Amino acid sequence: MAPPRGQVDPACFRHPLFAAYAEQRALLTSAAWPGIDALNAALPLPGRRFAVQDRALLADGLHYEARIARHGRIATRVENWHDLFNALVWARHPAVKSALNARQCQHIATMGPQRRNRAQQALTQFDECGVIVRIADPALLPLWDGHRWPELFAAQAARWQDGGIAVAAVIGHALMEQALVPGRLLVGRCVVVRGGDDAACVARVADAIAGGGVLEDPLELRPLPLAGIPGWHPRQDAAFYGQAGYFRPLRAGRRYPSPLR
């Protein structure tokens, strides 16, 4: 569980995980929580608004996802890190979030609000812990496929700096919440795209989600120990990369789908 607002070191928001949200840093570092009106003013979303999750809102009896789709109201708990980060992702990547919402609603219509299928699990995992990674150099992919972590991170550190491989977008708002816990080592659940442009790769993922081309099963998601990315952790020596409990070996029989193109 994330610490209270007053106990969070503002310096943590300068970590690369939050790089895309630098313009909204004041929402994270101010002494007081932003109210719902301030949130809507700072993060305008055409056709949608953040709404306080209270009894009046929940009285409509709608599923969280259905309420967004029908009325454009995104239920948001007050003074809550998880929901604040969710709001940031909505504002930064509305096409991805809209695609996730539409797919969830399709499955809810089929399964009902009380049951969940494998696709819904995959959609939720990506929504909570998802990362979009782009790969321009296909020679790096076998290292990831085989969980050859020291090779992917340490030996290929230069490729993480020159764009051969990069994080194009952090989607998972639960990941951001977990990052507030000192010492927490995070694992992203990734969709991978062959390409060299962040915006184009994010748009490709949004289209694939909307069209049902990805996230039909949680096993599609590639785990990525984010602290292994060069510059994402203060200590990245051989002993660090040797932590098998975090940099886990490939499970027998595990295979990953090819990247989107």
Side-chain angles (χ1 to χ4, degrees):
M1 185 174 180
R5 192 175 185 89
Q7 296 179 19
V8 172
D9 182 357
C12 76
F13 298 116
R14 297 191 179 278
H15 187 277
L17 185 78
F18 299 102
Y21 302 95
E23 293 182 4
Q24 292 79 33
R25 195 168 289 151
L27 294 173
L28 303 173
T29 59
S30 61
W33 286 92
I36 203 71
D37 291 336
L39 202 59
N40 280 308
L43 307 173
L45 286 171
R48 294 192 173 92
R49 287 182 64 80
F50 304 105
V52 175
Q53 181 173 303
D54 55 17
R55 288 186 179 182
L57 181 73
L58 300 179
D60 61 15
L62 292 174
H63 188 284
Y64 169 85
E65 301 285 358
R67 185 181 298 108
I68 296 173
R70 294 186 193 180
H71 303 306
R73 306 181 76 187
I74 303 171
T76 303
R77 293 167 291 186
V78 298
E79 300 188 5
N80 184 280
W81 283 116
H82 190 86
D83 288 6
L84 178 56
F85 289 133
N86 184 51
L88 290 180
V89 181
W90 264 106
R92 184 74 177 85
H93 300 293
V96 173
K97 294 290 282 187
S98 294
L100 289 167
N101 173 248
R103 283 280 302 284
Q104 287 282 15
C105 288
Q106 290 170 7
H107 291 294
I108 291 168
T110 302
M111 302 291 294
Q114 304 300 324
R115 298 172 59 205
R116 292 168 58 81
N117 58 23
R118 297 282 292 176
Q120 285 173 285
Q121 294 172 25
L123 293 162
T124 298
Q125 286 188 24
F126 185 71
D127 192 25
E128 297 284 346
C129 298
V131 176
I132 298 172
V133 177
R134 59 171 177 80
I135 291 184
D137 182 357
L140 299 172
L141 199 61
L143 305 181
W144 195 352
D145 286 341
H147 287 207
R148 293 154 60 186
W149 303 121
E151 294 175 73
L152 178 64
F153 293 129
Q156 298 295 331
R159 302 319 318 270
W160 289 92
Q161 306 299 329
D162 66 15
I165 182 171
V167 171
V170 176
I171 302 298
H173 50 289
L175 271 182
M176 299 180 198
E177 182 183 24
Q178 292 169 23
L180 303 184
V181 180
R184 180 67 59 85
L185 298 177
L186 306 178
V187 177
R189 304 296 174 183
C190 304
V191 173
V192 185
V193 187
R194 282 282 302 276
D197 179 79
D198 287 352
C201 290
V202 173
R204 177 69 183 92
V205 172
D207 289 344
I209 294 172
V214 293
L215 302 182
E216 285 295 304
D217 190 283
L219 291 177
E220 294 177 28
L221 291 165
R222 288 171 173 262
L224 184 68
L226 297 177
I229 299 174
W232 282 48
H233 193 271
R235 174 187 164 226
Q236 293 181 320
D237 55 15
F240 176 71
Y241 286 117
Q243 297 180 68
Y246 179 56
F247 296 100
R248 296 184 177 181
L250 184 68
R251 191 169 67 245
R254 183 71 190 272
R255 298 290 183 272
Y256 298 115
S258 300
L260 296 171
R261 291 181 176 270

